[in-house]
Amino acid sequence: MAAMLEISDLVVDIRSGRSTVRAVDGISLTLDPGRTLGLVGESGCGKSTTGLAVLGLLPAGGKVTRGSIRIGGNEIVGLREAEARAIRGRTVGVVFQDPMTALNPTQRIGAQVAEPLLIHGMANRSAAMKQAIDLLGEVGLSRPAAQAERFPHELSGGMRQRVMIALALICGPKLLVADEPTTALDVTTQDQILTLFDSLQQSRDMSILLITHDMGVVAGHTDEVAVMYAGRLAELAATHRLFGGYRHRYTEALLESIPTLDTPRGQRLATIAGLPPNLGGQLAPCRFAPRCAHAEQVCFDMEPQWSEQDEHGYACHLPRRTDADLMTESAGAPS
């Protein structure tokens, strides 16, 4: 079965004034039909730029300078804007981070959700509105016909995000790019939205690229996790494998910064020292080395190579030892 999304050696440069920043530097990812891939990292690591490249919505000055992006087996890099526009909505849907700025404040909800059907010539106005109302109900809005007559400012944050999901799904895309879809929501609403994604994926047999900075979000809602740092992939594995035996020191640092149920009250949370590097400046061979508590000289002298074992890939000179490593070392030690 062909992959729904296949990204190969993708490089994205963004030119601003006289300088050029390499926001994405040679990443490769595969997302199979009906699966969810979590793309995780801090702000500025390149994850949202990757999502925008998939959508053909790179900012001014942004350009794919190397690599391939195939959706359903079809190459999208190099498409003219009219061709890319035909794919957005019908083949690929998108849920943005802040629905208040993504939705038109002067247009009623129902009209906004129905509009993609009209743009793509998939329904007339009355049929499009009926489908929009039905979908508003499917994404969990009570009294959807009444909600369709309201404006975005009249809805709560969680309701607006449900509208954004309906807007992304109205044309029946097989790939959904969700860019930080729960960041502005409280914990309870966040869980409701993530559960809704799970339900819609199963009922519609969609593939989802879930972009987030929160490792907790991907833990129970993805099949595979890709960890990005400074434009590159740090680690890639099935979700259960990554959480059960993460190797990269950046992944370790992200997980250690998450509070757990047994974290003592009043204990300061672990943090990652420093800030992500300026991608337009001088970068260490291991880009995480300046912030890594385990870094040694080799990390500043040589670029770490990608290693892969049992479909678990990572690029780290001094990877975290897993329980399996310790058991192997123990078995090989002299008695």
Side-chain angles (χ1 to χ4, degrees):
M1 182 182 296
M4 187 66 237
L5 173 65
E6 189 172 8
I7 300 173
S8 301
D9 193 27
L10 180 67
V11 173
V12 177
D13 290 337
I14 300 178
R15 184 170 181 79
S16 178
R18 295 182 179 180
S19 64
T20 298
V21 170
R22 180 148 290 181
V24 178
D25 191 2
I27 73 166
S28 297
L29 297 169
T30 299
L31 175 56
D32 291 327
R35 308 279 284 179
T36 298
L37 170 64
L39 190 56
V40 188
E42 296 168 280
S43 296
C45 72
K47 58 189 189 300
S48 290
T49 302
T50 301
L52 292 174
V54 170
L55 295 162
L57 290 175
L58 288 171
K63 182 180 180 181
V64 175
T65 53
R66 193 178 77 216
S68 167
I69 302 174
R70 301 178 71 86
I71 298 177
N74 299 313
E75 180 63 58
I76 68 164
V77 173
L79 291 181
R80 295 190 297 270
E81 175 55 28
E83 296 171 322
R85 195 182 302 120
I87 291 174
R88 289 194 294 269
R90 296 194 69 156
T91 304
V92 186
V94 56
V95 179
F96 290 111
Q97 177 175 344
D98 185 0
M100 195 60 188
T101 56
L103 294 170
N104 186 336
T106 67
Q107 194 175 20
R108 297 183 191 275
I109 292 300
Q112 294 191 59
V113 176
E115 186 175 21
L117 291 173
L118 302 177
I119 291 174
H120 290 287
M122 300 175 68
N124 59 34
R125 192 166 297 278
S126 61
M129 184 58 71
K130 181 181 184 307
Q131 290 185 50
I133 292 172
D134 290 345
L135 187 51
L136 289 173
E138 186 180 346
V139 299
L141 287 180
S142 60
R143 301 183 299 114
Q147 305 294 0
E149 294 300 314
R150 301 176 74 181
F151 291 93
H153 73 271
E154 298 179 283
L155 306 180
S156 69
M159 293 170 73
R160 286 195 293 267
Q161 195 60 288
R162 291 175 188 272
V163 172
M164 278 299 303
I165 295 171
L167 185 58
L169 300 182
I170 189 67
C171 293
K174 284 300 183 181
L175 172 63
L176 180 67
V177 177
D179 188 4
E180 300 276 12
T182 61
T183 295
L185 306 176
D186 62 79
V187 176
T188 300
T189 306
Q190 179 183 92
D191 184 65
Q192 292 173 352
I193 294 298
L194 291 171
T195 300
L196 175 61
F197 276 129
D198 294 341
S199 175
L200 290 170
Q201 181 187 46
Q202 293 180 13
S203 64
R204 292 171 171 261
D205 192 28
M206 289 189 305
S207 301
I208 300 177
L209 178 62
L210 179 59
I211 299 170
T212 179
H213 66 276
D214 190 341
M215 292 291 283
V217 167
V218 300
H221 299 277
T222 61
D223 300 294
E224 195 171 21
V225 177
V227 181
M228 281 191 75
Y229 186 78
R232 290 183 175 174
L233 279 185
E235 189 160 7
L236 174 65
T239 304
H240 71 277
R241 189 182 298 276
L242 183 131
F243 279 87
Y246 48 91
R247 304 303 300 266
H248 200 283
R249 294 300 182 174
Y250 179 56
T251 307
E252 179 181 47
L254 288 175
L255 288 171
E256 287 180 346
S257 67
I258 300 175
T260 62
L261 292 175
D262 57 358
T263 300
R265 185 180 181 87
Q267 177 177 308
R268 291 178 64 87
L269 296 178
T271 59
I272 305 175
L275 296 171
N278 174 9
L279 296 179
Q282 186 69 31
L283 299 171
C286 171
R287 298 186 177 188
F288 185 57
R291 305 175 68 195
C292 181
H294 303 274
E296 296 183 5
Q297 190 59 45
V298 65
C299 307
F300 296 91
D301 293 339
M302 296 175 56
E303 180 180 327
Q305 298 302 303
W306 187 258
S307 301
E308 190 157 337
Q309 184 177 13
D310 298 329
E311 298 182 339
H312 186 159
Y314 58 93
C316 186
H317 287 300
L318 302 166
R320 171 184 172 269
R321 292 189 298 171
T322 65
D323 291 341
D325 293 331
L326 296 174
M327 289 176 64
T328 299
E329 292 170 10
S330 177
S335 57

